[in-house]
Amino acid sequence: MEGTIVNKKKLYRLVTVSKRYEIGEDKVIALNKVNLEIEHKGFLFLFGPSGSGKSTLLHILGGLDTPTSGEVIFEGKDIAKFSQKQKAGFRKKNIGFVFQFFNLIPSLTALENVLVSRMFEKEVSDVYARQLLDEVGLGGRIKHLPHQLSGGERQRVAIARALVNNPEVLLADEPTGNLDRKATYEVMELFKKFNQKGKTIIVVTHDNSLLDYGNVVVNISDGRIVK
Ligand SMILES: Nc1ncnc2c1ncn2[C@@H]1O[C@H](COP(=O)(O)OP(=O)(O)OP(=O)(O)O)[C@@H](O)[C@H]1O
Ligand SMILES: [Mg+2]
């Protein structure tokens, strides 16, 4: 029956999610009544032109930002209604973030950057952090500082860092925006690998040459999802 398909549990279910900004007299509708369902363990792209609302949507999925209205159901709970503290807990447990400019701490080595959110459990996670750096091909670079790494290598450190709490979801905002083609494809291959290992991957891009890596492309234009 169709009903059983419709009722299949989703990882995310967004219902009429809007985000409005008001600066003085100016109003910006960054997201306009977005409805979206995201499957467990998918590889999804948020694709659209500059200013279309991609980052806004990604931040809402990650609990970094709250919509003005609408529901953001994650595994049955509306994270839009969470307090700041609940959102922090939600992020720590479920989400890894990867950004365009890597956001590594310049004075920390690759290994220390991966461990930065787990400082209080160092002994436990040291082994895991080394294993993650191995998995992103940087087992030989663990003592390097960010400025001693190439852009592609920095982004791979950032991916290892995003995975250190073993989150269900990896969210990436233009992760290849600052990389050349070779490093871009290396990053995409890593996302593919971690997706095959069971992570849900959600990537913001306006590079249409990457879309084949995903199994879903969500087209965003002017704050709306377009088919
Ligand atoms: N904090 C804010 N205050 C006011 N307006 C904002 C704010 N953040 C985003 N906007 C506006 O919301 C719209 C969507 O922005 P968003 O950053 O989500 O776009 P984007 O698709 O990620 O663009 P890009 O590809 O350039 O990164 C834009 O018109 C932007 O100017
Ligand atoms: Mg953006």
Side-chain angles (χ1 to χ4, degrees), residues 40-59:
H40 285 271
K41 305 187 193 307
F43 188 156
L44 180 145
F45 281 100
L46 300 175
F47 178 71
S50 184
S52 57
K54 305 181 297 296
S55 294
T56 304
L57 180 54
L58 196 79
H59 294 164

Side-chain angles (χ1 to χ4, degrees), residues 29 35 50 58 66 82 84 90 99 113 139 144 147 188 197 210:
I29 300 178
N35 294 306
S50 184
L58 196 79
T66 310
F82 280 7
Q84 289 300 335
F90 159 77
F99 302 97
N113 264 288
H144 285 232
H147 81 268
M188 284 298 139
K197 287 182 163 199
L210 304 180

Side-chain angles (χ1 to χ4, degrees), residues 15-163:
V15 186
T16 57
V17 167
S18 294
K19 181 72 180 181
R20 291 184 293 277
Y21 293 107
E22 291 185 28
I23 301 175
E25 299 283 279
D26 288 335
K27 288 196 180 83
V28 177
I29 300 178
L31 291 176
N32 195 350
K33 298 185 188 142
V34 166
N35 294 306
L36 176 64
E37 290 186 334
I38 299 178
E39 306 275 355
H40 285 271
K41 305 187 193 307
F43 188 156
L44 180 145
F45 281 100
L46 300 175
F47 178 71
S50 184
S52 57
K54 305 181 297 296
S55 294
T56 304
L57 180 54
L58 196 79
H59 294 164
I60 286 173
L61 292 172
L64 286 175
D65 203 351
T66 310
T68 315
S69 59
E71 294 172 15
V72 183
I73 312 295
F74 178 89
E75 295 188 326
K77 293 200 182 92
D78 187 359
I79 64 170
K81 301 215 165 43
F82 280 7
S83 66
Q84 289 300 335
K85 197 176 164 194
Q86 285 174 308
K87 273 195 287 205
F90 159 77
R91 289 194 300 267
K92 179 152 198 246
K93 178 161 185 276
N94 301 293
I95 309 288
F97 290 99
V98 177
F99 302 97
Q100 180 174 354
F101 298 104
F102 325 131
N103 293 9
L104 300 178
I105 298 175
S107 59
L108 298 183
T109 65
L111 183 64
E112 289 164 345
N113 264 288
V114 173
L115 282 167
V116 84
S117 71
R118 311 246 338 218
M119 278 189 272
F120 303 110
E121 313 149 63
K122 202 164 188 310
E123 273 168 50
V124 191
S125 46
D126 201 73
V127 175
Y128 185 49
R130 285 165 192 268
Q131 184 194 320
L132 282 170
L133 282 167
D134 255 346
E135 283 191 61
V136 300
L138 293 176
R141 297 282 190 281
I142 64 171
K143 289 183 178 160
H144 285 232
L145 295 167
H147 81 268
Q148 297 165 329
L149 297 166
S150 72
E153 288 169 345
R154 286 181 215 182
Q155 194 59 303
R156 286 187 276 145
V157 173
I159 291 169
R161 176 188 56 187
L163 290 164

